Amino acid sequence: MTQSAAKQTAPTSRGPSIHCIDLGLQLGGVEILRAINLKLEAGKIHCIIGPNGGGKTCFIRSLLGQMPHTGMVETISLQDDEPVIGYLPQLLDFDKTLPVTVSDFMAIVCNGLRPAFAGLGQQPRQLIAAALERVGFVANVNTRLGSLSGGERQRVLFAQALIPEPSLLVLDEPMNNMDQAGEKRYLELIKNLAADGVTILWIAHDLNQVRQYADTVTCINQTVVFHGSPAECLDQLNTGDLFHLATKRAITKDSDVTTTSGSTVGEST
Amino acid sequence: MNDLYEWIRVSLQSAAQDGALPLAFQYGFVINALLCAFLIGPLLGGVGTMVVTKRMAFFSQSIGNAAMTGVAIGVLLGESYTEPYVSMFGFCILFGLLLNFTKNRTQLSSDTLIGVFLSVSLAVGASLLLFVSARVNTHILEAVLFGSVLTVSDTDMNVLLAVSVLVLAMGIPLFNQMLLASLNPSLARVRGVKVDLMEYIFVFMITLLTVACLKIVGAVLVEALLLIPAAAARNVTSSMRGFVLLSMLFSTLSCIAGVLIPMQYDLPLPSGGAIIMVAACIFILTTLIRVTFARFREARA
C-alpha cells in the first residue's frame, strides 16, 4: 500500500534547475562565500564537497533564500508551480529528554494547523507511515526521538523531507551517524528520486559515493574550486590532497577556476 | 458577562448554604477565584509546555517584573491602582517585543539578554512602585508580587476571559509552527514557517497571559506556574499528548487546591504562594515516581 502511494505522486522530471550568478555571502564582516557561478541542472544528483568550514552549509542555505547573500539565485522549474523543497538539516539540535516521540515530531513538521498534541489525522498518518517505510525506519513511532540511535533519528529526518513529495531535495550530510544498512537504503532512494526527475543537492563526505552516484560534483571552499562530472574532477586527484589542493587553488586563481567550471557544465551535459 | 458571573455566584452560594458544597463557597470572592483558576490552570499548563520546549523559561519572569513598572506607570497616569490594565498591557507588550527585537539583533545568547532585561525590569519596577505606593497604598507592591485572590473583580475576569480566547486562537493553530521554529529554524523556513513572526507571536502570547494572570498568582509566581506543571508532566510522560494534557491537569489542580486549602484551614497564605507550593508538591511527587520506576530510567549523557 505504501509503495503504491509513493508511485502515484511521482511524475517525471519535475525538479527545478538552479542557477547561481555571482553569489556571495558576508556574515559579521567575514567573507564566507564569493563569486559563485554555477548551473545545476534539473533532475540530476549534484554533490557538494569541500573542507569543513568552507561554506557548504552556508551555500545551501543561501540557495534556499535563508541568508543575506549577494548575487542571484534562480530556480527554474519546467512546471509552472514553485518547486516543493524537501530539506534534510545537518543536525537536529534539541533537548534529548523532551517528551517528543517520532510521530509527534512528524506531526509538528507535517501536520499543518492541527496541534501535535491532538494526534495525527488519517491522511497525514498514512503519508508519514509511507515515508518512514521508504527510509527503512522500523522502530516504534511512539519511541521518544531522544532515545533513538543516530541512524534511526537520521532516517526520521529524511522521512520528513519526503513529505510532501519534493521536486528539489536538499541533503546536508545525510550519511551523518548512519549505519551501513541505512546508507544502502539512502543511496537507493536518492538514485530512484533522481530517476523520477527530482533535483538533488547533496553535501557529501564520502568521495566513493560521489564517484558512484553523482552527476556533477562541486567543491566549495569560499568559492567554487572545481565543478564537473566526478570522473573528470575526482580522478585526477587522490583524496588525500584534495582539500589541501582545493584551498591553494581557491586562493591563487579563483576567477580562472570559476570560468573553467562554467565551461565544464556545458561539456558534461 | 457580569450577569453570568453573578448567576454562577448566586447559585453556588445557595448550594453552599444548603450544605451541598463546603462553607467556603458562600463567599463570592472564593467563587471568583475558582472561576479564574479553571481558566488559568489549563491555559498556563498548556502554554507552559511550549515555554519549556522552547527554553523561554526566564522570559515570562522578566515580563512579570516589567508588570511592576506597568502598574507604577498606571498609577502615575491616574489609572485605578487595582486595575491598571491599560498601562500593564501597554508597557509589558512593548517590553516583550523590544526584548525579542533586541534578541534578533545582538550576538548575545538569549539567556544573557533575558538576564539583563530581567534585572533591569526588576530594579526599575520595584523602585518606581515603591515610590508610587508610598503615596497611594503601601500594599500595592505586595499585591503585584504575590497576587491577591480576594480582590479579583468582574473586570479582572473579563480581561482574563478575553486573553484566554485570544491565546487559544493563536496558540492552537500555530502550536506546530512555533515549536518547529525553535527546534530547527532552518527546516521551519524551508517548510514555509515565518520564523521571526512566530517568535513575536509567541512573545506576545506569553505577555498577554502573564499580565492577565498577575492578579491571581502575582508577578513573581506566574512564571513558576508556567514552568512547574510542565516540568512535572515532563517527568512522567514520553509523548506530546501526555505532556500537554498532564501539564494542564497539574496546573489546574494546583490552582484549585492553592485557592481552597488556605480558605478551608484558615491559613494566612497568599494565594499565589499556596498555588505554587501545591505545584511544587506535584513536581516532587513526579520526580520520585521517575526515580523509582524503572521504565523512566535512561542512559546518562
Side-chain angles (χ1 to χ4, degrees):
Chain A
M1 176 207 88
T2 46
Q3 277 185 346
S4 69
K7 267 177 202 156
Q8 275 169 12
T9 46
T12 46
S13 191
R14 55 219 158 89
S17 59
I18 300 170
H19 297 197
C20 302
I21 301 151
D22 201 28
L23 180 78
L25 176 68
Q26 279 205 342
L27 288 179
V30 180
E31 187 166 58
I32 299 193
L33 298 170
R34 80 191 128 89
I36 292 184
N37 289 292
L38 270 182
K39 257 186 198 168
L40 301 172
E41 269 186 85
K44 293 270 161 65
I45 301 178
H46 304 282
C47 278
I48 293 161
I49 59 174
N52 287 330
K56 294 175 305 231
T57 298
C58 283
F59 171 63
I60 273 197
R61 293 190 56 195
S62 301
L63 293 187
L64 293 172
Q66 298 183 357
M67 288 283 181
H69 62 81
T70 56
M72 284 250 289
V73 177
E74 286 180 325
T75 47
I76 299 156
S77 186
L78 288 177
Q79 284 155 1
D80 299 332
D81 39 353
E82 286 276 296
V84 179
I85 304 173
Y87 175 56
L88 178 93
Q90 191 174 7
L91 267 182
L92 189 64
D93 171 35
F94 76 110
D95 185 346
K96 288 206 171 60
T97 63
L98 277 182
V100 177
T101 64
V102 173
S103 88
D104 287 332
F105 174 72
M106 295 303 270
I108 288 174
V109 176
C110 316
N111 222 8
L113 296 183
R114 178 168 171 162
F117 59 81
L120 288 164
Q122 190 62 35
Q123 204 196 354
R125 191 192 303 274
Q126 284 175 0
L127 279 175
I128 287 165
L132 285 172
E133 185 172 323
R134 279 170 86 184
V135 296
F137 181 84
V138 287
N140 187 339
V141 289
N142 293 320
T143 324
R144 262 189 321 107
L145 212 51
S147 60
L148 293 177
S149 74
E152 283 168 327
R153 202 172 314 138
Q154 196 70 12
R155 284 184 177 84
V156 173
L157 277 180
F158 203 129
Q160 65 75 26
L162 300 175
I163 307 172
E165 195 70 35
S167 62
L168 167 63
L169 190 59
V170 180
L171 308 168
D172 198 344
E173 304 197 8
M175 304 305 176
N176 258 353
N177 301 317
M178 197 32 116
D179 45 274
Q180 283 213 317
E183 279 195 16
K184 228 179 117 196
R185 188 95 181 211
Y186 266 29
L187 293 168
E188 198 67 19
L189 196 56
I190 291 172
K191 216 168 74 182
N192 289 341
L193 283 166
D196 276 350
V198 176
T199 310
I200 293 171
L201 270 179
W202 169 12
I203 296 186
H205 262 155
D206 186 334
L207 292 180
N208 285 324
Q209 288 173 0
V210 175
R211 272 201 193 90
Q212 219 181 328
Y213 292 92
D215 293 306
T216 75
V217 56
T218 310
C219 178
I220 288 188
N221 185 14
Q222 267 204 5
T223 185
V224 176
V225 180
F226 56 76
H227 170 91
S229 75
E232 291 168 44
C233 296
L234 298 182
D235 286 355
Q236 16 171 323
L237 312 159
N238 72 57
T239 37
D241 57 29
L242 170 71
F243 292 138
H244 174 64
L245 195 81
T247 9
K248 237 163 72 184
R249 266 220 269 177
I251 294 162
T252 49
K253 22 185 239 177
D254 62 281
S255 58
D256 200 26
V257 170
T258 38
T259 42
T260 44
S261 71
S263 65
T264 34
V265 182
E267 281 163 30
S268 66
T269 52
Chain B
M1 267 343 272
N2 297 0
D3 292 340
L4 177 67
Y5 302 143
E6 193 54 43
W7 177 78
I8 294 175
R9 275 195 292 265
V10 170
S11 43
L12 287 180
Q13 275 165 348
S14 62
Q17 269 151 11
D18 299 343
L21 286 170
L23 273 180
F25 282 88
Q26 56 188 300
Y27 302 111
F29 62 82
V30 176
I31 296 168
N32 280 353
L34 284 177
L35 286 177
C36 293
F38 272 110
L39 267 183
I40 65 172
L43 215 54
L44 286 181
V47 175
T49 60
M50 296 176 78
V51 173
V52 168
T53 312
K54 290 169 74 79
R55 301 186 203 181
M56 297 276 280
F58 284 102
F59 175 77
S60 60
Q61 172 142 37
S62 61
I63 292 293
N65 292 342
M68 288 196 280
T69 315
V71 174
I73 292 176
V75 174
L76 286 176
L77 291 180
E79 273 192 274
S80 124
Y81 68 87
T82 54
E83 293 166 352
Y85 279 115
V86 177
S87 307
M88 274 207 292
F89 277 117
F91 184 76
C92 290
I93 289 168
L94 271 182
F95 182 86
L97 297 183
L98 180 72
L99 175 52
N100 203 42
F101 181 83
T102 322
K103 194 177 96 186
N104 293 342
R105 277 162 190 75
T106 63
Q107 312 271 317
L108 294 174
S109 72
S110 78
D111 63 335
T112 311
L113 189 69
I114 290 175
V116 171
F117 270 71
L118 187 135
S119 10
V120 171
S121 64
L122 182 61
V124 175
S127 315
L128 261 182
L129 202 59
L130 274 176
F131 169 71
V132 172
S133 61
R135 298 195 313 194
V136 189
N137 179 333
T138 42
H139 293 295
I140 298 182
L141 183 61
E142 201 183 305
V144 175
L145 285 181
F146 298 108
S148 55
V149 83
L150 305 182
T151 58
V152 170
S153 66
D154 285 358
T155 318
D156 294 330
M157 293 208 283
N158 284 334
V159 168
L160 188 58
L161 197 64
V163 165
S164 306
V165 171
L166 253 175
V167 167
L168 285 180
M170 291 188 285
I172 288 183
L174 299 179
F175 183 85
N176 294 342
Q177 298 195 14
M178 288 198 246
L179 281 193
L180 187 59
S182 59
L183 280 181
N184 193 314
S186 190
L187 178 59
R189 287 202 181 90
V190 169
R191 291 197 162 265
V193 176
K194 298 192 171 52
V195 173
D196 293 336
L197 181 67
M198 286 304 134
E199 292 298 313
Y200 277 110
I201 291 179
F202 186 70
V203 161
F204 183 63
M205 218 169 85
I206 299 286
T207 309
L208 286 183
L209 204 55
T210 305
V211 173
C213 297
L214 214 63
K215 200 63 175 277
I216 318 249
V217 197
V220 179
L221 299 174
V222 177
E223 157 258 3
L225 200 49
L226 272 174
L227 290 188
I228 299 175
R234 185 172 154 170
N235 270 338
V236 289
T237 52
S238 57
S239 78
M240 211 66 215
R241 172 175 295 190
F243 187 29
V244 173
L245 293 184
L246 266 188
S247 175
M248 286 162 83
L249 179 73
F250 289 162
S251 164
T252 314
L253 267 181
S254 316
C255 287
I256 291 168
V259 169
L260 282 185
I261 289 174
M263 300 279 174
Q264 201 67 28
Y265 298 102
D266 269 335
L267 303 173
L269 296 175
S271 54
I275 289 171
I276 305 306
M277 281 192 275
V278 175
C281 291
I282 296 176
F283 177 75
I284 292 169
L285 202 69
T286 56
T287 310
L288 286 178
I289 290 174
R290 189 183 180 88
V291 173
T292 321
F293 291 95
R295 82 186 189 91
F296 295 113
R297 225 164 273 157
E298 51 199 293
R300 279 164 203 269

